[in-house]
Amino acid sequence: MIRKSIVFICFLALILSACERDDICAVSTPTTPQLVIQFYNVDNRTEAKIINLQAVEVNKTDVLTFTNDTLIKLPLRTNVEQTQYYITKNPGVTEGDEPENTDIITFDYLTNEVYISRACGFRVTYDDLAATTTNGEDGRWIEDIEINSEIVVDENTTHVNIYH
C-alpha cells in the first residue's frame, strides 16, 4: 500500500513539474512583426500623404484594404526570403486625375527564428530588408522607395518610406 502511494505521489509530482507558469503565452509577448510603410508626397518628402490602396500578395487572393491612411502594415512571408505585393493605388477609381494604378513591390530579406518560450514558440524577425518596384500596366505610381530600417523586429518603427 505504501509503495503504491509513493508511486502515485511520484507520478503526480512528475505531471505537476512538467507544467510551468509560462505555459500560457501572455498577450504582451512580441510576435512576428509586420512591415510598417509610410507614404509621402514625392514633391515634399517630409509631408505624409494620404492614400487609398489595396495590397494583394502575388499568387494569393486575400485583399488588404487601406482607406485614407498614411501608414500601413503588411505581413512578410516567414518561410521564404521574399514577399511580393500588387499594390493598387485608388482601387476602383476609373476617372479623374489619379485613376486606379497597380505596381508590384518586391521585398527581399533574411529571416531569423527567435525562440520565445515553450508556450509562445518562435517568432520571426527580418534582416537586410531591400525593396524594388515594377511598373504596372498603367505606368508607375510609386516614384521612390526608401528603406529606413533594414532590420524588422517590431512594429514601432517605420521600416519603409514610399514616395508618390
Side-chain angles (χ1 to χ4, degrees):
M1 179 73 172
I2 294 176
R3 183 180 161 123
K4 287 183 181 182
S5 296
I6 292 174
V7 169
F8 177 73
I9 291 172
C10 289
F11 177 72
L12 187 59
L14 179 64
I15 290 174
L16 292 177
S17 68
C19 297
E20 297 178 12
R21 277 192 175 167
D22 67 349
D23 276 354
I24 298 174
C25 190
V27 174
S28 60
T29 302
T31 58
T32 298
Q34 295 186 77
L35 184 68
V36 179
I37 302 171
Q38 179 85 43
F39 292 87
Y40 287 94
N41 184 337
V42 71
D43 297 323
N44 180 354
R45 294 173 77 90
T46 60
E47 177 186 334
K49 187 173 180 184
I50 292 174
I51 192 166
N52 296 311
L53 62 82
Q54 287 183 339
V56 178
E57 188 179 340
V58 173
N59 298 321
K60 302 288 181 179
T61 58
D62 293 337
V63 177
L64 302 172
T65 302
F66 304 93
T67 305
N68 294 324
D69 288 311
T70 61
L71 186 130
I72 68 169
K73 296 177 182 177
L74 294 177
L76 297 174
R77 296 186 54 129
T78 59
N79 59 338
V80 294
E81 295 183 337
Q82 183 181 79
T83 304
Q84 289 185 303
Y85 278 98
Y86 294 109
I87 306 288
T88 303
K89 179 180 178 179
N90 298 326
V93 176
T94 58
E95 298 179 16
D97 292 340
E98 295 189 56
E100 178 177 294
N101 193 345
T102 302
D103 286 352
I104 299 172
I105 299 180
T106 303
F107 297 104
D108 293 295
Y109 45 82
L110 300 175
T111 58
N112 300 304
E113 283 190 353
V114 179
Y115 179 75
I116 303 299
S117 68
R118 183 171 58 187
C120 299
F122 289 85
R123 69 179 265 201
V124 174
T125 61
Y126 308 95
D127 290 333
D128 298 331
L129 178 67
T132 55
T133 185
T134 306
N135 294 2
E137 294 176 8
D138 298 325
R140 190 174 177 170
W141 68 267
I142 296 173
E143 301 280 336
D144 192 17
I145 298 176
E146 177 181 69
I147 303 296
N148 290 330
S149 176
E150 292 181 358
I151 300 170
V152 179
V153 295
D154 62 40
E155 296 178 8
N156 300 322
T157 303
T158 300
H159 307 111
V160 177
N161 291 346
I162 293 180
Y163 300 93
H164 64 106

